[in-house]
C-alpha cells in the first residue's frame, strides 16, 4: 500500500464578504469566483499553469452556472488544461472540496488542487411555476406559428407570478433560523449568551483587521476592500435592542439579526498541494490538512437541524484517538450564535454523548479563549459555499505563526449535515 503523503495548505484568498444587495449587487457567482481565483493565481504566480483540479461550487446557483468552477478557472488565467469540478454540500461545500482534494493529494492521485466556493444572495435565481415553465419548454419545441400559439391555450396572468427563492428545508418547511430557535429552546440557550458570543465575534474580527491579519488574504472586488459586516463598535446594549428574527410571535424568540449570520455575497479559495509540488515552486507550506469527517442526522424527526457537526467531530476525534485536550484552536462556524452554544453544550452532556455520539464519557468543555479567536461568520458574513474555504484559509494562516499546534474546524449545513476537519502546524 502506498504511504499517504502530507497535504500542504499553501495559502488562500477571498474577496471581502458583503451583505446581500450591497457592494456586490451587480456581481454573480461566476464573476466573484473568477475574481478570487485570479487573486490566488497572482498571489502564487500560477498564471498559465496547470492545477490538477479545481473543485467547488455554489449553493444558490442559476442554471447558467452548470460549469461554474471550470469557467471561473479559465477566467482566472489558469491553464486551459486545468479541470474544474462542481460540487455542493450546502454550507460545507468548500471545506468538503478541500477534504476531497486532500484525499487525492494524500493518495498520490494528484499533486495540486484548489478548493473554492462562491455564493450570491443578490443574484438569486427567480423562476416561474411549473405550469409556465412547461409552456416555455413546449414553446422552444414548437415549429409552426399555430403550434406556438397553441402553447398558450388556457394561459392566465397568474402563471407569471415568480416563485420566491427559498432555503427552507423541504422535509420540514422550516427555515434554518426556525430550526435553530427550536434547538435553542431544547438546550436552554439564553438570548444574552447568544448576544455575548456575537459581540465577541465582531470584536475578534475587528482586532484581526487592526493587527493586519487579513492584509494578504483579501482580493478587492467591485471597489470593496474589506468585509462590510464587521462592527468594531457593537456591544450588548445595541444587541439587546434587536427584535427576534425567526420567531416573532411566541414571545420566546431569541435569534435576532445581530446574533445570526447575515445574508451575504462572497467567494473564497484555498490552494492545496503535496510538499514536493510546493517546494519545487518555492511556495510556502502554512499548515497541513490532516483529516476530516462528514456526518448527517435525523433532523426531520426531532434531532436538531444544525447538530450534525457534533457527530462529525466526535467520529473524527475517535477515529484518531484524540480529544479536546489535544486541540489548541477551535474554528466553529457561527451560522447562529445559538448553534455554536448548543454544540458546546451537547459535547458536555452525558446523555447526548452516550445516546447520540455513542461515547461512554463526555467530550468535555472548551475554553472560550480558544474559539474563533479571529472572529467568525457572525462578523464576517456567510456566503454559504464560500465559508469553509474562508475558515480553512484563516486557520492555516493562524497556525503558520503557531508552531506545534492543532486546530479543529466544524461547519454545520442545511439538510442536517456537518463537516469537520483537523489542521496541524507545518513546524
Amino acid at each position: 500500500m502506498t504511504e499517504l503523503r502530507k497535504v500542504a495548505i499553501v495559502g488562500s484568498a477571498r474577496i471581502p464578504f458583503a451583505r446581500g444587495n450591497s457592494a456586490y449587487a451587480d456581481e454573480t457567482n461566476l464573476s466573484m469566483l473568477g475574481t478570487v481565483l485570479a487573486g490566488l493565481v497572482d498571489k502564487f504566480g500560477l498564471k498559465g499553469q496547470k492545477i490538477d483540479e479545481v473543485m467547488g461550487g455554489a449553493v444558490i446557483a442559476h442554471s447558467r452556472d452548470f460549469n461554474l468552477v471550470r469557467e471561473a478557472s479559465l477566467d482566472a488565467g489558469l491553464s486551459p488544461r486545468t479541470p474544474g469540478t462542481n460540487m455542493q454540500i450546502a454550507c460545507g461545500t468548500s471545506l468538503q472540496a478541500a477534504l476531497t482534494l486532500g484525499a487525492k493529494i494524500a493518495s498520490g492521485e494528484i499533486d495540486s488542487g484548489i478548493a473554492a466556493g462562491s455564493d450570491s444572495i443578490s443574484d438569486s435565481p427567480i423562476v416561474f411555476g411549473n405550469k409556465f415553465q412547461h409552456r416555455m419548454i413546449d414553446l422552444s419545441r414548437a415549429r409552426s406559428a399555430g403550434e406556438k400559439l397553441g402553447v398558450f391555450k388556457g394561459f392566465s396572468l397568474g402563471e407569471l407570478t415568480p416563485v420566491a427563492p427559498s432555503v427552507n428545508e423541504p422535509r420540514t418547511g422550516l427555515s434554518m433560523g426556525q430550526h435553530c430557535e427550536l434547538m435553542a429552546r431544547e438546550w436552554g440557550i439564553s438570548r444574552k449568551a447568544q448576544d455575548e458570543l456575537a459581540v465577541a465575534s465582531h470584536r475578534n474580527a475587528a482586532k484581526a483587521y487592526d493587527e493586519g491579519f487579513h492584509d494578504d488574504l483579501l482580493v478587492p472586488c467591485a471597489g470593496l476592500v474589506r468585509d462590510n459586516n464587521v462592527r468594531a463598535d457593537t456591544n450588548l446594549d445595541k444587541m439587546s435592542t434587536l427584535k427576534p428574527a425567526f420567531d416573532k410571535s411566541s414571545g420566546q424568540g431569541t435569534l435576532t439579526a445581530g446574533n445570526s449570520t447575515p445574508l451575504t455575497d462572497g467567494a473564497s479559495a484555498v490552494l492545496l498541494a503535496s510538499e514536493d509540488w510546493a517546494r519545487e515552486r518555492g511556495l510556502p507550506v502554512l499548515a497541513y490538512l490532516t483529516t476530516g469527517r462528514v456526518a448527517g442526522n435525523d433532523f426531520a424527526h426531532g434531532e436538531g437541524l444544525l447538530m450534525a457537526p457534533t457527530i462529525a467531530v466526535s467520529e473524527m476525534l475517535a477515529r484518531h484517538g484524540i480529544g479536546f485536550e489535544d486541540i489548541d484552536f477551535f474554528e466553529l462556524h457561527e451560522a447562529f450564535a445559538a448553534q455554536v452554544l448548543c454544540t458546546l453544550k451537547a459535547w458536555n452532556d452525558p446523555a447526548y454523548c452516550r445516546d447520540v455520539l455513542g461515547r461512554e464519557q463526555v467530550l468535555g468543555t472548551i475554553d472560550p479563549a480558544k474559539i474563533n479567536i479571529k472572529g467568525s461568520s457572525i462578523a464576517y458574513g456567510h456566503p454559504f459555499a464560500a465559508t469553509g474555504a474562508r475558515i480553512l484559509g484563516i486557520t492555516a494562516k493562524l497556525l503558520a505563526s503557531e508552531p506545534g499546534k492543532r486546530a479543529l474546524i466544524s461547519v454545520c449545513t442545511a439538510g442536517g449535515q456537518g463537516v469537520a476537519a483537523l489542521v496541524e502546524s507545518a513546524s
Side-chain angles (χ1 to χ4, degrees), residues 84-97:
T85 301
N86 280 10
M87 71 170 299
Q88 198 255 77
I89 178 172
C91 313
T93 295
S94 50
L95 182 56
Q96 175 74 327

Side-chain angles (χ1 to χ4, degrees), residues 290-315:
T290 57
T291 191
R293 191 78 170 180
V294 182
N297 71 4
D298 192 5
F299 74 95
H301 296 95
E303 295 187 331
L305 176 72
L306 306 180
M307 296 297 287
T310 62
I311 302 171
V313 167
S314 177
E315 291 178 348

Side-chain angles (χ1 to χ4, degrees), residues 19-67:
R19 296 178 72 93
N21 300 300
S22 63
Y24 300 151
D26 296 324
E27 300 299 316
T28 66
N29 282 329
L30 179 57
S31 67
M32 292 190 300
L33 188 57
T35 298
V36 82
L37 289 178
L40 199 69
V41 165
D42 290 342
K43 184 175 182 178
F44 295 109
L46 302 176
K47 189 76 171 178
Q49 290 196 31
K50 175 183 178 292
I51 296 296
D52 287 333
E53 186 171 5
V54 181
M55 181 180 290
V59 176
I60 302 176
H62 291 265
S63 58
R64 67 176 184 243
D65 290 333
F66 70 94
N67 215 8

Side-chain angles (χ1 to χ4, degrees), residues 126-129 132 156-164:
I126 304 297
V127 299
F128 294 104
F132 190 73
S156 66
L157 289 176
E159 294 177 33
L160 295 176
T161 303
V163 178

Side-chain angles (χ1 to χ4, degrees), residues 86-385:
N86 280 10
M87 71 170 299
Q88 198 255 77
I89 178 172
C91 313
T93 295
S94 50
L95 182 56
Q96 175 74 327
L99 293 175
T100 304
L101 292 171
K104 291 186 175 187
I105 292 169
S107 68
E109 181 179 344
I110 63 175
D111 293 309
S112 62
I114 296 174
S118 178
D119 255 304
S120 171
I121 291 293
S122 304
D123 189 35
S124 299
I126 304 297
V127 299
F128 294 104
N130 289 339
K131 193 169 184 179
F132 190 73
Q133 178 183 337
H134 287 303
R135 286 190 193 276
M136 292 297 97
I137 294 173
D138 291 342
L139 183 63
S140 70
R141 294 172 176 171
R143 295 293 176 261
S144 68
E147 287 178 343
K148 292 179 180 180
L149 287 173
V151 166
F152 292 96
K153 184 178 180 180
F155 169 76
S156 66
L157 289 176
E159 294 177 33
L160 295 176
T161 303
V163 178
S166 173
V167 290
N168 286 8
E169 291 294 331
R171 294 183 179 275
T172 64
L174 300 179
S175 70
M176 193 175 286
Q178 289 170 322
H179 271 285
C180 199
E181 277 283 12
L182 297 176
M183 288 165 46
R185 206 162 299 167
E186 175 186 357
W187 287 97
I189 305 301
S190 70
R191 164 72 183 270
K192 181 181 178 183
Q194 294 175 54
D195 288 349
E196 287 173 344
L197 190 147
V199 168
S201 183
H202 280 282
R203 289 180 176 172
N204 287 344
K207 182 181 178 183
Y209 264 110
D210 291 343
E211 294 171 344
F213 184 84
H214 294 288
D215 288 354
D216 65 341
L217 299 178
L218 295 173
V219 178
C221 181
L224 194 64
V225 296
R226 63 180 291 166
D227 307 292
N228 69 8
N229 187 65
V230 178
R231 299 287 182 267
D233 61 348
T234 193
N235 56 54
L236 285 176
D237 288 339
K238 291 180 180 179
M239 285 282 183
S240 67
T241 65
L242 300 175
K243 296 180 179 180
F246 303 101
D247 179 359
K248 302 177 182 180
S249 58
S250 75
Q252 301 180 59
T254 58
L255 274 69
T256 70
N259 58 39
S260 308
T261 51
L263 294 173
T264 314
D265 303 334
S268 58
V270 178
L271 176 60
L272 306 170
S274 67
E275 292 178 294
D276 287 344
W277 189 92
R279 191 178 300 113
E280 288 168 3
R281 289 159 180 78
L283 297 177
V285 175
L286 300 184
Y288 296 113
L289 178 61
T290 57
T291 191
R293 191 78 170 180
V294 182
N297 71 4
D298 192 5
F299 74 95
H301 296 95
E303 295 187 331
L305 176 72
L306 306 180
M307 296 297 287
T310 62
I311 302 171
V313 167
S314 177
E315 291 178 348
M316 179 178 69
L317 295 181
R319 186 177 181 86
H320 293 275
I322 60 177
F324 285 165
E325 66 277 8
D326 302 302
I327 309 297
D328 302 286
F329 302 104
F330 293 81
E331 290 292 329
L332 309 180
H333 162 49
E334 299 164 351
F336 305 90
Q339 188 278 332
V340 175
L341 295 169
C342 287
T343 295
L344 294 174
K345 201 165 185 179
W347 281 329
N348 202 39
D349 183 81
Y352 187 88
C353 288
R354 180 188 66 245
D355 300 338
V356 179
L357 305 183
R359 286 179 167 267
E360 295 182 0
Q361 304 293 329
V362 297
L363 268 165
T365 58
I366 300 173
D367 182 353
K370 295 182 177 182
I371 299 174
N372 300 342
I373 66 171
K374 300 299 182 183
S376 194
S377 303
I378 287 177
Y380 296 118
H382 174 36
F384 306 125

